[in-house]
Amino acid sequence: MMPHLLKHLTLAGITSLLLLNSGRAQENLQQTLVSLLPQKGELAGWRQTYEARFFTADDLFEYINGAADLYLQYGFRMVLTADYAAGADSNGVTVEIYTMASPLHAFGIYAAERSPSEPAIAIGVEGYHSANVLNFYKGPYYVKLTSFTLDRDMGPVLAEMARFIADRIKGHFTAPEMLTLFPQQDAILHSERYIPSDFYGQSYFQNGYRRDYRNNACGDFQLFLIPFSDSLEARDAFAKYSEFLLKQKHPQNVKAAGENLRLALHSSEGDVVVFCQGALIGGALGGSCRQMLKTRVYHWAETIRLPGPSPY
Amino acid sequence: MSLDRMERRQFLKSSSIGMLAAGCAWPGRAAAQTGKAQEIKLPTRPLGRTGVKIPILSFGVMNTDSPDLIKRALEAGIIHLDTAHGYLRGNSETAIGRVVKERGDRDKLIIATKVWLARDHQTGGFSTQASGRGPAATAENLNQMLNLSLTRLQTDYVDILYLHSCDTAQMVNYEPLMNAAVAARKAGKVRFIGVSCHGRVPEVVRAAADAKIYDVAEIAFNLQREDKEDTEKAIAYAKEKGLGIVAMKTQGGKRRDEKVPMNHKASLKWVLRHEEVTTAIPGMTTFDQLELNLAAAADLDLDEEEKNYIKLGSLQIGAMCQSCRACVPTCPQHVDIPTLMRAAMYAGSYGNLSHAEWTLSMLPEQYGLQVCGLCETCIAACPHQLNIGGKVAELKKTFRLPLA
């Protein structure tokens, strides 16, 4: 009896320890997030009006409803939300700090919600201010500040808090290095995206990057890059994608355009050029000048190399 | 060289990849020569009393980044696209607007969006004070948001405007917003008015059916929900009253407290076999999911496997760990099985590997994935007969760990 009881007590102890461990990780994350906010009197003119609340993957849905699905795809961990009164008029401002799985994921969700028409501002790695909103990202954090004062520009007020939080996030962070591999010609500023899964609707495309382009003659198109762990994996995905395109795109002139690990399709649904170069798949979608895109993209394929190790 | 790598190379030799690398032939040529993927005829159902009929499969657009996927869905016969004002800060509406403009057939489509206005969680009603997530619940704000949505969608009207996430009867019956929605309908900016809800679904459906101004309710409805029987009664009531029902989260969604289905086709069929449901709006992110859902919607008859799944799903067996921890004392390695099951759910059902990895990282190594020897002693202890061994094995494969 005694050894049996002892065993159960030990197991109960281990179970409690595990729960404690999990709870402690959550608590640590909460404390980290709180430490990014100004304490009482640290930021003149700002007063916290409600205690911070926290949501995790378990209950994010209760906070942002259907939008939670996308945040979870981007590796959401925890959000802190706190309300402030700012300035002499006590304007209401909500601060949200989303902790994502990595700096890359933070960039990904930030970029998903950004519009290229919103000029970037130098807060964190990058931010923007639009109407009553100021959002930025730095490290694994995506920070969103929202004012409900709509009758005047709250930009300077929001920027004050944003800079405070950005300074509190320690470490040097830059935009994802993969983005530096994209050509500049015809590029639309602030249109870069990182999509962690199901890129272009393909389950075998994970960790895709893309950028929008506009050319007077050819219209709008996108360039994209997907890094793989090795060239075999890339070739495997390239073959699957080629097969998919040939089924879906009603291609014309494929025979003339097809080369080893390269594919240029001209179709009524838009042109596609794809290449597989080492452990990378890249290409162009859209536009209406297959020859121009093919030339550009094939040149890109010949010169592109994966960057070395990075913080991402 | 590992065995895995060798097998992979041998496979490549005989596969289309090898042929591609050698510049021999293009895979899929035969399929390409046949032109479009096979078209599927989707059944249609009336959207309540509106006089409009729509296919039983629609598209919840917010999670996809692929305009081609939206185009393919429309080509396949889907006509109803569902989004919300706030999804991706409006980028979801903008993406739909571009696709619709390019196609030039706005009048053939049913576009739905939703406006989220502030609410008071203590009273369970709307609030006239702006809150962290949305502006005050006033007619003026509803109009402003609707106008902005129309601009993004590049259209003069939306077919359905929902009051987003109304989870109480009190919210459904909030007169200032009801009146604003009716005014928008009179102004021609909205064809039909609806409420969307995730919680207290039966209560909300009945309230919407009784309120008279609503044409449609968009509800969370799936095999694993505990309120499904009450919801079935409520949607039968809604049908009598002429309220259309749009089902969301049909395959479980990504909400933790909804049990995650493993058979997506059977789950969608289960929802659509309810005649009261006008259409479902699964949030598809891949072409494969689209094809799977199209096939399910085109033929709602259940095969044996689907019947069994639904039977098991109704009993909530085999779907998801309930964290009862009955298995934990039986494990000779003292593995924290419920945490592994949670990680397996994130990896397998949500496809969210980073979250699975993070969940596993919460465990000390000596109680984690590595030490499970797949002895399956735990399965006998599981009151829900969960296939723990299979899930752990999948998880090990995903993270490239040896099975034993």
Side-chain angles (χ1 to χ4, degrees):
Chain A
M1 267 313 270
M2 278 304 283
H4 188 68
L5 181 63
L6 196 63
K7 186 182 171 192
H8 274 82
L9 284 172
T10 310
L11 288 170
I14 290 168
T15 303
S16 310
L17 198 68
L18 292 172
L19 289 172
L20 200 64
N21 186 58
S22 163
R24 219 170 260 159
Q26 301 272 2
E27 264 176 41
N28 289 344
L29 192 47
Q30 285 187 6
Q31 282 168 10
T32 304
L33 289 171
V34 168
S35 74
L36 302 178
L37 295 173
Q39 302 307 303
K40 200 174 177 182
E42 263 192 304
L43 194 59
W46 286 78
R47 180 172 50 86
Q48 193 170 338
T49 49
Y50 289 101
E51 208 165 302
R53 291 182 298 152
F54 302 89
F55 296 89
T56 65
D58 294 350
D59 56 5
L60 181 65
F61 197 86
E62 286 163 23
Y63 184 51
I64 58 173
N65 311 118
D69 285 353
L70 197 78
Y71 276 70
L72 290 170
Q73 278 178 31
Y74 278 89
F76 168 81
R77 297 281 184 265
M78 181 182 283
V79 61
L80 169 153
T81 175
D83 292 325
Y84 284 84
D89 300 339
S90 291
N91 299 292
V93 173
T94 296
V95 175
E96 295 168 308
I97 308 178
Y98 289 85
T99 312
M100 312 305 287
S102 71
L104 180 57
H105 288 83
F107 164 76
I109 190 69
Y110 161 83
E113 294 196 336
R114 172 185 61 179
S115 163
S117 64
E118 292 159 335
I121 54 175
I123 295 181
V125 177
E126 186 192 287
Y128 59 82
H129 165 227
S130 169
N132 60 331
V133 168
L134 193 156
N135 296 343
F136 74 90
Y137 78 101
K138 184 178 179 186
Y141 304 109
Y142 174 34
V143 182
K144 302 170 77 168
L145 289 88
T146 308
S147 155
F148 291 99
T149 303
L150 298 171
D151 55 354
R152 72 194 123 102
D153 180 15
M154 287 289 286
V157 177
L158 296 178
E160 192 181 18
M161 173 64 92
R163 288 205 173 87
F164 184 95
I165 295 170
D167 288 346
R168 279 275 169 96
I169 300 169
K170 296 301 171 204
H172 176 70
F173 298 96
T174 57
E177 205 174 355
M178 284 291 294
L179 300 177
T180 63
L181 302 182
F182 283 79
Q184 295 299 318
Q185 190 180 3
D186 296 331
I188 296 175
L189 278 178
H190 315 306
S191 64
E192 304 91 342
R193 294 279 311 273
Y194 162 72
I195 290 134
S197 59
D198 297 344
F199 187 62
Y200 285 143
Q202 308 300 341
S203 57
Y204 46 86
F205 280 173
Q206 309 295 316
N207 301 308
Y209 299 79
R210 71 168 207 233
R211 190 171 190 185
D212 294 344
Y213 290 76
R214 182 163 294 153
N215 178 281
N216 287 338
C218 298
D220 291 350
F221 60 95
Q222 287 179 347
L223 296 186
F224 65 93
L225 276 178
I226 310 159
F228 290 83
S229 55
D230 58 40
S231 57
L232 274 179
E233 217 176 82
R235 283 180 179 212
D236 187 0
F238 179 77
K240 285 179 183 160
Y241 191 47
S242 300
E243 188 171 1
F244 166 80
L245 288 174
L246 290 165
K247 273 185 192 166
Q248 301 284 327
K249 285 279 178 182
H250 320 301
Q252 302 157 22
N253 305 326
V254 177
K255 201 171 182 181
E259 294 167 38
N260 189 20
L261 293 175
R262 294 178 184 184
L263 180 61
L265 304 183
H266 176 60
S267 91
S268 55
E269 299 160 43
D271 293 343
V272 186
V273 185
V274 197
F275 68 82
C276 179
Q277 177 72 39
L280 275 175
I281 287 180
L285 287 186
S288 53
C289 305
R290 178 174 53 91
Q291 197 51 47
M292 182 209 82
L293 282 183
K294 188 182 159 193
T295 307
R296 279 199 197 181
V297 170
Y298 284 10
H299 174 70
W300 190 30
E302 279 156 17
T303 54
I304 198 165
R305 294 291 175 272
L306 268 172
S310 79
Y312 298 101
Chain B
M1 186 184 291
S2 70
L3 180 63
D4 182 42
R5 177 60 56 87
M6 282 182 67
E7 283 170 354
R8 194 176 168 83
R9 288 216 164 147
Q10 280 163 358
F11 164 70
L12 289 179
K13 275 185 191 172
S14 59
S15 73
S16 57
I17 308 159
M19 292 167 78
L20 246 185
C24 297
W26 297 106
R29 171 59 57 84
Q33 284 168 346
T34 63
K36 279 187 177 181
Q38 195 182 352
E39 294 301 339
I40 290 169
K41 181 77 181 160
L42 288 172
T44 60
R45 286 182 190 160
L47 182 67
R49 59 174 169 261
T50 64
V52 170
K53 277 188 161 188
I54 56 179
I56 60 173
L57 185 67
S58 298
F59 193 169
V61 177
M62 68 152 301
N63 288 336
T64 179
D65 71 302
S66 170
D68 276 359
L69 186 60
I70 304 173
K71 287 178 197 169
R72 170 69 193 125
L74 296 176
E75 270 175 24
I78 286 174
I79 64 166
H80 173 31
L81 303 176
D82 181 275
T83 183
H85 180 90
Y87 289 168
L88 296 176
R89 285 188 66 241
N91 287 342
S92 176
E93 289 181 333
T94 303
I96 292 175
R98 283 188 190 138
V99 170
V100 172
K101 190 182 177 193
E102 190 184 311
R103 286 173 56 90
D105 60 351
R106 168 68 186 91
D107 58 330
K108 293 187 174 62
L109 303 178
I110 301 288
I111 298 177
T113 195
K114 316 178 195 82
V115 289
W116 197 99
L117 292 145
R119 65 262 342 253
D120 182 334
H121 288 288
Q122 287 186 331
T123 64
F126 280 108
S127 168
T128 51
Q129 298 294 310
S131 73
R133 286 213 39 244
T138 64
E140 189 187 356
N141 285 331
L142 181 144
N143 272 319
Q144 277 187 5
M145 293 169 84
L146 174 58
N147 289 340
L148 180 55
S149 287
L150 294 177
T151 304
R152 292 168 179 163
L153 289 161
Q154 304 191 51
T155 182
D156 298 329
Y157 66 95
V158 287
D159 296 276
I160 308 172
L161 176 70
Y162 293 104
L163 300 180
H164 200 162
S165 217
C166 291
D167 288 345
T168 62
Q170 190 186 343
M171 294 175 85
V172 172
N173 290 313
Y174 188 62
E175 283 192 7
L177 294 185
M178 291 168 81
N179 294 338
V182 169
R185 183 164 60 187
K186 277 186 187 157
K189 294 178 183 177
V190 170
R191 289 178 71 197
F192 311 121
I193 302 168
V195 287
S196 75
C197 81
H198 305 89
R200 295 164 82 166
V201 171
E203 171 188 325
V204 169
V205 168
R206 286 174 188 278
D210 289 339
K212 302 208 186 325
I213 72 143
Y214 296 107
D215 304 296
V216 53
E218 183 176 296
I219 60 167
F221 186 41
N222 61 53
L223 179 60
Q224 285 77 30
R225 281 182 72 94
E226 285 171 7
D227 64 359
K228 65 177 184 285
E229 284 170 14
D230 286 344
T231 300
E232 282 170 337
K233 289 175 193 158
I235 61 177
Y237 180 73
K239 189 176 182 186
E240 278 173 30
K241 296 276 185 172
L243 184 75
I245 297 291
V246 173
M248 61 174 159
K249 305 282 182 267
T250 49
Q251 284 133 308
K254 290 183 169 61
R255 195 177 173 184
R256 272 289 313 283
D257 60 357
E258 288 168 354
K259 317 304 181 284
V260 180
M262 305 307 285
N263 187 329
H264 291 264
K265 217 169 159 183
S267 300
L268 181 60
K269 284 185 180 184
W270 180 85
V271 170
L272 290 176
R273 284 167 66 86
H274 292 82
E275 288 287 335
E276 300 88 350
V277 172
T278 306
T279 189
I281 52 161
M284 298 171 277
T285 58
T286 70
F287 286 87
D288 292 343
Q289 287 168 4
L290 171 63
E291 298 304 330
L292 187 84
N293 288 338
L294 284 168
D299 178 9
L300 295 180
D301 288 342
L302 300 168
D303 62 26
E304 281 309 306
E305 190 184 338
E306 289 164 348
K307 279 180 194 164
N308 286 336
Y309 176 78
I310 286 171
K311 197 174 161 191
L312 289 170
S314 296
L315 298 168
Q316 298 187 358
I317 293 172
M320 185 174 147
C321 172
Q322 308 290 308
S323 290
C324 68
R325 305 190 75 82
C327 56
V328 175
T330 68
C331 176
Q333 304 292 337
H334 313 313
V335 172
D336 186 41
I337 298 163
T339 302
L340 297 196
M341 292 300 97
R342 201 147 54 96
M345 177 187 74
Y346 286 126
S349 302
Y350 298 176
N352 190 338
L353 293 185
S354 74
H355 205 79
E357 195 176 3
W358 190 68
T359 304
L360 290 172
S361 74
M362 309 277 277
L363 286 175
E365 261 186 32
Q366 64 268 34
Y367 311 124
L369 181 60
Q370 297 90 329
V371 296
C372 172
L374 296 176
C375 69
E376 300 197 338
T377 309
C378 48
I379 293 178
C382 177
H384 307 291
Q385 297 165 31
L386 197 70
N387 179 14
I388 299 170
K391 286 172 186 285
V392 173
E394 278 304 311
L395 207 51
K396 286 191 171 220
K397 279 183 205 161
T398 301
F399 291 103
R400 297 181 182 182
L401 290 172
L403 288 181

